[in-house]
Amino acid sequence: MSMRRIVGPEILDGLAADDPAARRSRRDLRRVHRAMGTRTILRRALHRTTASIPDNRPLRVLELGAGDGNLMLGVAHALAPAWPRVELTLLDRQALVSLEMIENYARLGWNVVEQVADALEWAASATDSLPNGNEPARWDLIVANLFLHHFEGTQLALLLNSITARSNGFFACEPRRNWISLAGSHLAGLIGAGAVTREDAVLSVHAGFRDKELTTLWPAVHDEWRIHEYSAGLFSHCLHAERVGRP
Ligand SMILES: C[S@@+](CC[C@H](N)C(=O)[O-])C[C@H]1O[C@@H](n2cnc3c(N)ncnc32)[C@H](O)[C@@H]1O
């Protein structure tokens, strides 16, 4: 019997950035990512996009719902030799990126811009431009981790539409919606997760994805994009999309 997708508000999203319970839950996320193997999944997927790196300017990468930027930093360490110049925008509706985090990226040659914004407003704004210039808002790559599953219906469609209109590549790593992930989410306490994370982990699995659900929702003309939707590790579900011909 397959699980129906249920999207509900997560507790972390209703807490202020400086709420101790929110701080605890964001620290828990690091353990959750270790248990899910997210960094390895991301690193492997992003390595495959190496061919499309521009040689005359930095690679422009946007992470939606980036949180404090810690997950991507681990990936940046692995990618930096192949991706030495990156302009990375970390977008989240809460201001969570510390100066220390920005400096850690800078040591790798990655220039980080924090964008505090609601991703739905970002998606709806047709006039969005790069934070540090007047160039049109196009990204070589947009990334989302544990983020898309917050959305459904017209909101999810709006996000995917905007992503396809503004990028040449997209990678999402989300919770896999199946019984194994659900069982795993109920065991989040075993890795030391607090109450907020224990509850959100279960909600996230119910809101997660499976099979070709994201491919079905992908709004662009399919032969303009190479799309690979797959299960990764024990608990993750990924979508990797690359524009085949450059616009
Ligand atoms: C589960 S956390 C994942 C954080 C990070 N991507 C990671 O994997 O560690 C989801 C993040 O999405 C952000 N978020 C949720 N809804 C958002 C929205 N509408 N616009 C921007 N950020 C949002 C939250 O603030 C939170 O930082």
Side-chain angles (χ1 to χ4, degrees):
M1 197 177 69
S2 72
M3 291 165 60
R4 196 167 58 87
R5 181 162 191 249
I6 303 168
V7 179
E10 294 181 20
I11 300 173
L12 176 61
D13 292 327
L15 298 176
D18 59 356
D19 186 313
R23 286 180 197 271
R24 164 76 194 270
S25 181
R26 290 190 187 278
R27 282 198 305 275
D28 289 345
L29 264 181
R30 300 181 181 195
R31 295 174 187 215
V32 169
H33 282 309
R34 274 200 289 278
M36 294 179 79
T38 316
R39 259 189 200 147
T40 306
I41 293 168
L42 258 166
R43 187 169 31 82
R44 285 195 185 135
L46 297 190
H47 257 309
R48 284 187 224 119
T49 66
T50 320
S52 54
I53 290 181
D55 48 18
N56 56 345
R57 59 166 175 80
L59 189 75
R60 294 183 187 130
V61 181
L62 168 68
E63 183 174 0
L64 295 172
D68 60 11
N70 184 65
L71 174 66
M72 200 60 181
L73 179 65
V75 179
H77 273 285
L79 291 179
W83 297 11
R85 283 198 308 150
V86 174
E87 278 177 14
L88 172 66
T89 298
L90 298 173
L91 183 150
D92 200 285
R93 66 178 170 198
Q94 294 193 328
L96 300 162
V97 182
S98 66
L99 198 56
E100 188 187 352
M101 185 63 70
I102 292 175
E103 286 168 358
N104 287 336
Y105 276 104
R107 267 182 226 115
L108 300 170
W110 288 32
N111 179 41
V112 165
V113 175
E114 180 181 28
Q115 189 171 352
V116 181
D118 190 307
L120 294 172
E121 285 171 19
W122 168 85
S125 74
T127 53
D128 184 38
S129 61
L130 290 176
N132 53 357
N134 296 323
E135 297 173 62
R138 286 210 64 81
W139 306 90
D140 296 301
L141 177 69
I142 297 180
V143 181
N145 299 295
L146 299 186
F147 174 69
L148 283 187
H149 72 275
H150 288 78
F151 305 95
E152 60 182 335
T154 51
Q155 293 189 334
L156 185 52
L158 174 68
L159 278 171
L160 295 179
N161 258 314
S162 191
I163 288 165
T164 53
R166 296 183 196 191
S167 74
N168 289 330
F170 177 61
F171 181 71
C173 185
E174 297 295 324
R176 192 186 319 161
R177 194 177 78 252
N178 70 2
W179 299 108
I180 293 174
S181 299
L182 190 61
S185 68
H186 279 288
L187 298 176
L190 292 181
I191 57 168
V196 170
T197 307
R198 291 200 301 273
E199 194 151 332
D200 281 352
V202 175
L203 293 170
S204 299
V205 171
H206 282 292
F209 299 97
R210 58 181 298 150
D211 304 324
K212 300 291 175 203
E213 288 176 341
L214 288 165
T215 305
T216 306
L217 292 170
W218 193 251
V221 182
H222 277 222
D223 60 5
E224 287 178 5
W225 289 77
R226 190 185 305 117
I227 299 173
H228 181 34
E229 184 167 2
Y230 59 99
S231 300
L234 272 180
F235 309 120
S236 300
H237 184 83
C238 302
L239 179 78
H240 195 182
E242 284 195 277
R243 196 182 288 278
V244 179
R246 294 288 177 257

